[in-house]
Amino acid sequence: MKRVSAQGWNGLFAGVLAVCVLVVIGTGILSVTTLIVESVPSIRQFGLSFLWTPVWDPARRQYGALPLFYGSFLTAVIALLLAGVIGVTTAVSLTQIGVRWLRSVISLLLEILAVIPSVVYGVWALLVVAPLFGRWSGQAGGPSGEFAVSGFGVLAAGVVLGVMVMPTVVAVTREAIASAPKDIAEAAIALGATRQETVALAVMPFVRKGILGSLYLGLARAFGEAVAVSLVIGDQPRIGGSLFARADSLASMLAHTLTGSASPLQTAALYEIGLLLFLITTVFYGLGRSYIVREAISPRFQPW
Amino acid sequence: MVTRVSYKTMRKLKNALFVSVLSVMTSLAVLPLLSLLWSIGFHGIAALISLSDAPLSRGVASAVLVNAFAQSLVTTASSSAIAVFLGVAAAIYSSQYAGLRVGRAIRFTVDILSGVPSILAGMVLFALLSGVSSLVAGVLALVLCMLPVVVRTADQVLVAVPVAYIEGSLALGASRIQTIFATVLPIAHKSLVTALLFVVARMAGEAAPLLIILDGGTASKGSLGFQPLPLRLYSDLTHGGSFPHQIAYVEALILLVTIMTIYGLARWVGRPDRW
C-alpha cells in the first residue's frame, strides 16, 4: 500500500517537472510566434523586398533592412577579425607557452571581461574608444573626461564588439585545444620539434573545427548585441562608404527606436527586423554549436 | 654542415618569433580590460568625489543611485527566483527522467534558445504586456532571457553527477524523489550554486530587454521612475547632459563592482577543494 503511494508521488513529481520543461520550451515558441504575429503588417506591406530595400526612412514610411544588414555585417566582420586573431593566439599561448601563474591571471582577466555588462562596455566605448577614433579620423574630440562627441561609426562599434566577443573565442578555442589528443603533441616534442612546429603540425589540425565553431558563436553574439553598439555606431541607418561613417545595426536599431516608434507600420517593421535577427543568430549559433562537441562538463564559467 | 646550422638557426628564430607574437597578442587581449577598469574606476571615483562635494547634487545623486540600485535588486532577485525555480526543475527532468532521445531534444531546444539575443525578450514582452505593468513585463523579460541559460547550465551540472551514486541509491531502495533530493542535489549543489551565480551575474547587468519595456521614451533626467541600474545608466548615456554625465560614471562603477562581487562570490563558492 505504501509502495503504491510512493510511486504515485514519483509520478506526480515527474509530471510537475515535465510541466516545467514544457513551460521553458513554450516560452521559446511563444517568443517566435509573437515576433511573427507582430511583424505581419510589415511583411504584407513590403514582402520580400524588405530584405534588399536600401532605405530606412520613417518620414517617408519607407522601411528596408539593407542598411541595417550592412551595419551588422560590417561591425561583426571587424569584431571577428579582431577577436579571431587575438583570441585564437591568446588561447594558444594560454595553453602552450608561459608560466602557470601568469596563465591563470590572464584567464581570470578574460573571464572578468566576459561578465562585464554591455552597458558598462558602452561607457568605456564612449570614454576611450570613440574619442580615439575621433582623433584618428581628424574630427574634433570632446574635452577629456566627458563623453565622446565624435568618432562614432562602424569601426568604433566593431572594435567594441571585438572586445566583447573575444572571451568567447578564447574559451571555446582553449577547450578545443585541451581536448586535442596530447600524445601526438608529445610525440612531436619528443622528435625534437620546436614549440612553433608542435603547435602548427600537431595541435592546430585538431582545433580547426573548434576555432570555426567559436567564430560562429562570436558572430551570433556580435549580431545580437544591442546596447553597446547603439551607443557608438552613430544611429544612422545608411550605407556609407567609410569605416568612420555612422551607420546602424539590426539590434541597435531595435534598442533606440522601438519605444519611440511613430506608427504601427514602423513598429511592425521593427518586429520584422527582430524576427530576422532571431533567424540569423539562431543559424549562426546552431552552426557554432554543431562544431563544438562538449565532453568535459564542469561548473566553470562559460561565456557563450 | 653550413646549411644544417643555418636551418637549425632558422627554426629557432621562427620559434622565437612565434613566442613573441603570441606574447604580444596575449597582452593585446588583456589591454582592453585594463583600459576599461582604469577609465571607469578613475572617472567613477572622481565623479563620486565631485558629487559629494556639492551638497545639493549629493542629495539628488544619492536618491537616484539608491533608487536605481534598489530597483535593480528587486528585478534581479525576483526574476532570478522564478528562472532558477523553473529552470532547475526542468533540468532535473532532462537529466534524471528524460530518456536519451527526449533529453537530447530538450537540450537542443534549450541550447538554441540560450543563443537568442536578449533584446528580443524585451520585444516579446513589450508586445504582450506593454499596457499591463512595466514592472511585471520587465521581470518576465529577464526570466525569458535567463530561463534557457539556467536550464542548460543546471543540466550540465546534474548530468555530471556520477551514475554510480544514483544507481547505488536506487539499489538501496530509495525512490527517485529520495535519490534526487538525498543524492543528486547534495553532490551537485556546490557546482550548481556556482553555475547559477554566474548566470545571475550576467543578468544583473542586462539592460537590453529592460530598455524596450521600461524606457518608454519618457525617462527624464532627474526623475525617479522605474529604472533599474543598468537601464538608468543607459538612459543617462543616451540623454546626455552635464549632471547625468557625472552620475553615469558613478553608476557604471557601482554596476561594475556589483557584478564583480557576484562573480567573485561564484568563484568563492565554486573554489576547488575535493570532489
Side-chain angles (χ1 to χ4, degrees):
Chain A
M1 188 65 202
K2 226 179 173 182
R3 252 184 94 142
V4 175
S5 86
Q7 267 173 10
W9 278 114
N10 279 330
L12 186 68
F13 185 63
V16 171
L17 295 183
V19 169
C20 292
V21 171
L22 290 180
V23 168
V24 173
I25 293 173
T27 59
I29 297 170
L30 180 73
S31 307
V32 183
T33 323
T34 311
L35 289 177
I36 294 174
V37 168
E38 292 290 321
S39 54
V40 161
S42 162
I43 296 173
R44 275 220 187 108
Q45 176 95 18
F46 302 114
L48 272 179
S49 71
F50 185 77
L51 297 177
W52 56 79
T53 305
V55 183
W56 181 280
D57 189 357
R60 286 192 289 146
R61 295 171 64 82
Q62 273 247 326
Y63 301 102
L66 196 65
L68 307 178
F69 278 127
Y70 165 83
S72 281
F73 264 107
L74 210 54
T75 48
V77 165
I78 296 169
L80 276 196
L81 278 179
L82 260 179
V85 172
I86 298 181
V88 170
T89 45
T90 303
V92 171
S93 50
L94 285 181
T95 49
Q96 305 293 324
I97 63 166
V99 277
R100 192 171 283 257
W101 68 269
L102 194 59
R103 282 186 198 175
S104 52
V105 167
I106 290 172
S107 43
L108 178 70
L109 288 177
L110 288 173
E111 274 192 19
I112 291 175
L113 209 53
V115 273
I116 291 176
S118 46
V119 215
V120 176
Y121 274 107
V123 179
W124 176 67
L126 288 172
L127 264 175
V128 179
V129 182
L132 195 70
F133 289 121
R135 231 168 288 148
W136 273 6
S137 63
Q139 298 159 330
S144 77
E146 281 178 28
F147 294 139
V149 290
S150 67
F152 300 107
V154 175
L155 191 57
V159 168
V160 175
L161 270 182
V163 175
M164 298 178 73
V165 166
M166 196 176 54
T168 310
V169 176
V170 175
V172 177
T173 308
R174 248 182 100 172
E175 210 156 284
I177 293 175
S179 63
K182 290 227 166 32
D183 43 357
I184 295 178
E186 282 162 6
I189 294 170
L191 287 172
T194 61
R195 267 288 155 207
Q196 180 261 327
E197 286 157 351
T198 311
V199 169
L201 300 172
V203 177
M204 276 320 189
F206 301 98
V207 198
R208 283 206 190 111
K209 272 192 171 175
I211 293 175
L212 208 58
S214 77
L215 293 181
Y216 274 121
L217 291 184
L219 210 52
R221 253 202 98 181
F223 264 82
E225 177 51 49
V227 167
V229 173
S230 81
L231 287 170
V232 286
I233 197 169
D235 293 350
Q236 285 175 17
R238 61 177 186 210
I239 303 173
S242 157
L243 283 182
F244 291 103
R246 290 169 182 244
D248 213 347
S249 78
L250 296 164
S252 155
M253 170 62 86
L254 296 175
H256 65 83
T257 49
L258 190 61
T259 49
S261 168
S263 64
L265 184 62
Q266 186 178 1
T267 308
L270 287 168
Y271 271 92
E272 195 174 349
I273 294 288
L275 187 61
L276 290 171
L277 191 61
F278 174 81
L279 294 175
I280 293 171
T281 50
T282 303
V283 167
F284 285 149
Y285 191 83
L287 271 173
R289 290 315 300 262
S290 71
Y291 281 111
I292 300 161
V293 186
R294 181 173 295 142
E295 276 158 14
I297 296 165
S298 60
R300 268 183 304 134
F301 175 66
Q302 295 161 349
W304 67 91
Chain B
M1 192 62 190
V2 172
T3 51
R4 228 178 123 190
V5 169
S6 74
Y7 178 59
K8 200 173 162 188
T9 330
M10 207 192 72
R11 284 180 62 206
K12 279 191 174 167
L13 274 176
K14 219 169 156 188
N15 191 50
L17 185 71
F18 172 74
V19 171
S20 39
V21 167
L22 285 192
S23 318
V24 170
M25 287 299 183
T26 310
S27 351
L28 276 180
V30 179
L31 194 68
L33 177 71
L34 299 181
S35 156
L36 188 148
L37 292 181
W38 166 252
S39 63
I40 287 176
F42 178 80
H43 288 291
I45 290 169
L48 205 57
I49 291 169
S50 77
L51 280 181
S52 56
D53 273 350
L56 189 69
S57 63
R58 183 173 60 200
V60 179
S62 59
V64 167
L65 290 174
V66 168
N67 187 54
F69 192 80
Q71 289 175 341
S72 232
L73 211 62
V74 171
T75 40
T76 309
S78 47
S79 56
S80 300
I82 299 171
V84 164
F85 183 80
L86 266 174
V88 171
I92 291 176
Y93 186 86
S94 68
S95 64
Q96 309 297 320
Y97 284 95
L100 202 60
R101 211 171 279 174
V102 177
R104 203 174 283 166
I106 296 173
R107 259 163 228 136
F108 176 76
T109 317
V110 165
D111 215 19
I112 292 296
L113 286 180
S114 68
V116 172
S118 54
I119 191 160
L120 294 181
M123 291 179 72
V124 167
L125 279 142
F126 181 65
L128 293 177
L129 286 178
S130 63
V132 183
S133 153
S134 56
L135 171 60
V136 174
V139 169
L140 288 181
L142 284 179
V143 171
L144 198 58
C145 282
M146 269 175 100
L147 205 46
V149 189
V150 169
V151 178
R152 202 186 67 180
T153 43
D155 177 73
Q156 282 171 1
V157 169
L158 293 177
V159 163
V161 173
V163 189
Y165 289 102
I166 298 168
E167 284 169 348
S169 166
L170 291 174
L172 287 171
S175 70
R176 296 214 77 150
I177 301 182
Q178 287 167 334
T179 305
I180 286 165
F181 284 103
T183 306
V184 177
L185 290 180
I187 288 175
H189 85 277
K190 219 165 124 181
S191 324
L192 197 59
V193 172
T194 306
L196 293 176
L197 276 177
F198 281 141
V199 180
V200 172
R202 238 170 70 187
M203 285 304 149
E206 193 67 84
L210 295 174
L211 94 97
I212 283 183
I213 293 164
L214 300 178
D215 194 22
T218 54
S220 54
K221 285 166 200 163
S223 78
L224 297 178
F226 188 82
Q227 284 190 311
L229 196 53
L231 184 61
R232 175 81 220 176
L233 177 53
Y234 182 80
S235 59
D236 280 343
L237 291 175
T238 45
H239 317 164
S242 68
F243 178 69
H245 145 94
Q246 286 220 315
I247 206 166
Y249 294 141
V250 182
E251 285 161 354
L253 186 65
I254 294 176
L255 194 56
L256 197 57
V257 169
T258 312
I259 302 286
M260 301 260 268
T261 309
I262 305 177
Y263 173 77
L265 190 67
R267 298 265 315 193
W268 181 74
V269 171
R271 69 194 179 282
D273 43 17
R274 51 210 171 81
W275 201 65

